[in-house]
Amino acid sequence: MSTAILTGPPVPGSPLEGDLRSLGFDVRTAADERETAALLAAVPAAERVAFVDPRFVGHVHALRLALTDPRFPAAAAPGALTARPEARPALARALTAVTPATVAPGTAAPATHGTPARPGAGQPRTLPDRLAEALAADGVPVHRPELGSLVAAVPADPQSRKETRDAVEAVDDEAVRLRSAVKARDGFFTTFFISPYSRYIARWCARRGLTPNQVTTASLLTALVAAGCAATGTRGGFVAAGLLLLLSFVLDCTDGQLARYSLQYSTMGAWLDATFDRAKEYAYYAGLALGAARGGDDVWALALGAMVLQTCRHVVDFSFNEANHDATANTSPTAALSDKLDSRGWTVWARRMIVLPIGERWAMIAVLTAATTPRVVFWALLIGCAFAACYTTAGRLLRSLTRKARRTDRAAGALADLADSGPLARAVAALARKSPRTFPAPTALLGAAAVVTTAALAPLDGPWPVVAALGYALTSGIAVARPLKGSLDWLVPPVLRAAEYLTILVLAARSDAPHALPAAFGLVAAVAYHHYDTVYRIRGDSGAPPAWLVRTIGGHEGRTLVVAALAAVLAAGSRFTVALTALAVAVALVVLVESVRFWVSSGAPAVHDEGEPA
């Protein structure tokens, strides 16, 4: 239960108290600032508290946006302020600071976000408004939600109060709430074929007390059943798999819309949504490969290639965004052209479809599964994702080369964490720091090309794959020896991901061991989970995984070296498959246990991802 304090006597006929109770607040009334301070002191320190002027008039959803969003330590709208436990000490100081002040009724309020009563209608400078100013002056960021057509005001006189009530009646806040439940930026398929009805499913879930995490879990289970249907290898199974995959995607859209509709944001929810998306897609790839094998067609190499390509696409996205989101002087002619294209309706949708976001991708997979064969599905995925990867990466390269930006230490640290360097690379990096200059991206690319090419061409029973893996560890360490602040240094993490994944794929494909590719698929899936987990820790401002975890699973260069050595010694028999499987299980267990422990107990601040469709 949260507590809302009305900072003055209630206004007869006002529905404010009922509105606040409907939002989960225990409502108390204070006659003046001193009584307000006493009531604040009586509220347990672990609770959210809100101050609301009793003359407030506005939509319930405006209050919901201002007072119940869990992502911000403090938030405000005209005449209303809330503070989470972490902002409570600053709120107490602010209240002490403003208590001696007197409020002149009818004094014009400073400019605020939100809809005023009506042009020309004055608003009193309320206690919540003054507290919000004091919090901001104390260094506490005060979020002011974008209310749009919603009304939130403190009318100064009866006439303006009537006008404000009329403005409230003129806008259906439930319709606004439903519209705002849909992600502001999404793909064509999601926008026009899913969101028009999934938002109503989200409302249905909210009214029955379901949480976004429960809907996310239902989406995962549906996708796993779809993968099981695909694994049957029958036409009926493929048709059922396609339909269930689409249903899983509807639920996947619903969980985010439910979070926005009911403001049930959490760091764990964002993590579950992101990691379950990858788990669903890659489990479905495995189901298709199993189904194809039942029909006598071995497509495990294609399935693993599709997973590698899709994961590397995401790492490109993450690295580029982390390198540039807080860079200064961050402008370029390419970015200006992109903004211009985004101002034209048809180019916006064309560009969003070209990158093959999750909606278009899953729709394509579902339809092709039902109508064709797994081999056709994977070739379509590889071609479509390769084209999308070339398009997005080329644009980002142009932006990086034409932009004059100064990267921050935080960005360099994030890229270093995304690199996932193990003990070998770190030891090399410590030595290479003494060199006058390094070239991170070219060095990483040279080592990656060498290890993948050697794995593809050299005899597996010879020493060259292992030698190349040692050289890869050397170049990887040199690449991360200095802070990654160069214009193209964001390429280092995706290049390292591609090198590790492709080396595993090529060595497994070339070995004579039976079922080596399915084992390699499991190993890459386990490692990819670790890399996605790293990304969402960084996005949640929770830091990278602990150093002991990276050391335990070897870092990217350590795992590459181990797989190369196993291939040299064991590739001629089934022991290579057993070794890959054991390595995959070991990595998965260590990573999953630490990941679950962290996300369940970290207490990281609530977040919600509104970025590019994945």
Side-chain angles (χ1 to χ4, degrees):
M1 176 68 73
S2 302
T3 299
I5 300 173
L6 296 180
T7 58
V11 175
S14 171
L16 182 59
E17 287 193 42
D19 291 343
L20 290 170
R21 290 193 175 94
S22 73
L23 297 177
F25 286 98
D26 177 23
V27 181
R28 303 177 187 179
T29 301
D32 54 31
E33 286 92 336
R34 297 187 185 280
E35 190 172 343
T36 299
L39 289 176
L40 175 63
V43 177
E47 284 189 11
R48 173 195 290 271
V49 67
F51 292 150
V52 184
D53 191 285
R55 296 165 293 177
F56 176 90
V57 176
H59 288 101
V60 177
H61 192 48
L63 281 174
R64 181 182 290 107
L65 291 171
L67 302 182
T68 67
D69 196 321
R71 296 173 294 174
F72 309 103
L81 169 72
T82 186
R84 287 176 51 81
E86 59 267 31
R88 288 278 302 277
L91 179 63
R93 292 194 299 271
L95 186 57
T96 300
V98 303
T99 295
T102 59
V103 183
T107 302
T112 59
H113 293 270
T115 306
R118 272 293 177 265
Q123 296 188 71
R125 188 164 177 265
T126 67
L127 177 60
D129 295 333
R130 290 185 287 131
L131 288 173
E133 294 173 11
L135 281 176
D138 197 18
V140 177
V142 179
H143 172 67
R144 296 184 182 272
E146 200 62 53
L147 299 180
S149 60
L150 296 175
V151 176
V154 180
D157 53 65
Q159 178 59 31
S160 60
R161 186 173 186 84
K162 179 183 180 304
E163 292 175 355
T164 306
R165 284 177 173 170
D166 291 341
V168 170
E169 293 294 327
V171 177
D172 183 352
D173 74 333
E174 179 61 20
V176 173
R177 187 181 180 190
L178 270 176
R179 286 197 303 271
S180 61
V182 177
K183 187 184 289 188
R185 176 184 172 88
D186 224 328
F188 179 87
F189 179 77
T190 305
T191 299
F192 294 103
F193 292 92
I194 304 295
S195 294
Y197 58 87
S198 61
R199 68 184 75 180
Y200 295 100
I201 301 175
R203 181 171 67 180
W204 183 89
C205 292
R207 290 177 175 177
R208 282 152 184 81
L210 298 177
T211 67
N213 290 351
Q214 290 171 331
V215 178
T216 301
T217 303
S219 176
L220 173 67
L221 295 175
T222 304
L224 293 179
V225 174
C229 291
T232 63
T234 64
R235 178 51 53 196
F238 288 149
V239 172
L243 292 173
L244 287 171
L245 187 65
L246 287 176
L247 175 59
S248 174
F249 182 64
V250 171
L251 293 174
D252 182 59
C253 294
T254 300
D255 63 5
Q257 291 165 359
L258 175 58
R260 285 181 287 273
Y261 182 85
S262 56
L263 300 186
Q264 296 184 72
Y265 301 125
S266 68
T267 296
M268 184 175 180
W271 168 73
L272 285 177
D273 186 41
T275 54
F276 279 12
D277 278 352
R278 305 290 78 78
K280 287 180 287 189
E281 188 166 1
Y282 299 158
Y284 192 82
Y285 292 177
L288 282 175
L290 288 170
R294 286 181 178 271
D297 190 12
D298 186 353
V299 296
W300 276 106
L302 296 177
L304 181 50
M307 180 167 68
V308 169
L309 180 54
Q310 186 58 32
T311 303
C312 289
R313 280 185 65 200
H314 284 134
V315 178
V316 169
D317 294 343
F318 300 145
S319 295
F320 180 81
N321 291 334
E322 287 299 327
N324 292 288
H325 89 281
D326 62 350
T328 58
N330 201 9
T331 59
S332 76
T334 308
L337 175 61
S338 178
D339 293 339
K340 184 177 181 179
L341 290 174
D342 276 343
S343 66
R344 301 177 183 270
W346 70 270
T347 60
V348 171
W349 295 117
R351 296 175 72 209
R352 292 187 191 179
M353 294 173 70
I354 285 173
V355 300
L356 205 63
I358 188 170
E360 278 75 358
R361 192 168 68 250
W362 282 27
M364 180 184 74
I365 293 171
V367 171
L368 291 179
T369 298
T372 64
T373 66
R375 180 172 290 274
V376 172
V377 174
F378 285 125
W379 274 115
L381 264 176
L382 288 168
I383 294 170
C385 289
F387 178 81
C390 291
Y391 171 78
T392 55
T393 304
R396 286 165 179 169
L397 285 171
L398 285 173
R399 290 190 185 201
S400 299
L401 292 172
T402 58
R403 135 188 303 160
K404 297 180 180 179
R406 292 186 295 275
R407 271 74 181 186
T408 63
D409 291 337
R410 180 205 174 279
L415 292 179
D417 292 333
L418 289 173
D420 192 35
S421 301
L424 289 175
R426 289 181 182 272
V428 173
L431 296 174
R433 287 192 189 101
K434 300 177 183 178
S435 62
R437 188 175 182 184
T438 59
F439 301 90
T443 303
L445 187 60
L446 176 65
V451 72
V452 174
T453 302
T454 305
L457 301 179
L460 293 187
D461 56 356
W464 293 113
V466 176
V467 172
L470 288 171
Y472 170 67
L474 178 66
T475 57
S476 300
I478 295 172
V480 297
R482 292 183 175 277
L484 299 175
K485 292 185 177 183
S487 60
L488 295 179
D489 287 357
W490 58 269
L491 285 170
V492 171
V495 166
L496 300 181
R497 293 295 75 70
E500 178 184 2
Y501 297 161
L502 288 175
T503 300
I504 295 172
L505 188 161
V506 171
L507 291 174
R510 293 189 63 208
S511 75
D512 295 328
H515 308 301
L517 278 168
F521 187 97
L523 175 57
V524 172
V527 175
Y529 175 88
H530 163 61
H531 292 144
Y532 281 112
D533 185 58
T534 301
V535 164
Y536 276 86
R537 293 191 194 217
I538 294 171
R539 281 192 171 185
D541 291 325
S542 302
W548 69 262
L549 175 66
V550 178
R551 287 196 303 268
T552 301
I553 60 176
H556 66 93
E557 81 289 352
R559 292 186 295 270
T560 302
L561 179 60
V562 167
V563 174
L566 290 174
V569 177
L570 306 173
S574 60
R575 290 179 298 171
F576 184 51
T577 300
V578 174
L580 284 179
T581 303
L583 183 58
V585 171
V587 171
L589 284 176
V590 173
V591 168
L592 280 171
V593 169
E594 161 56 20
S595 176
V596 172
R597 181 208 65 77
F598 172 80
W599 290 104
V600 169
S601 62
S602 68
V607 298
H608 192 72
D609 183 19
E610 290 286 358
E612 297 280 349

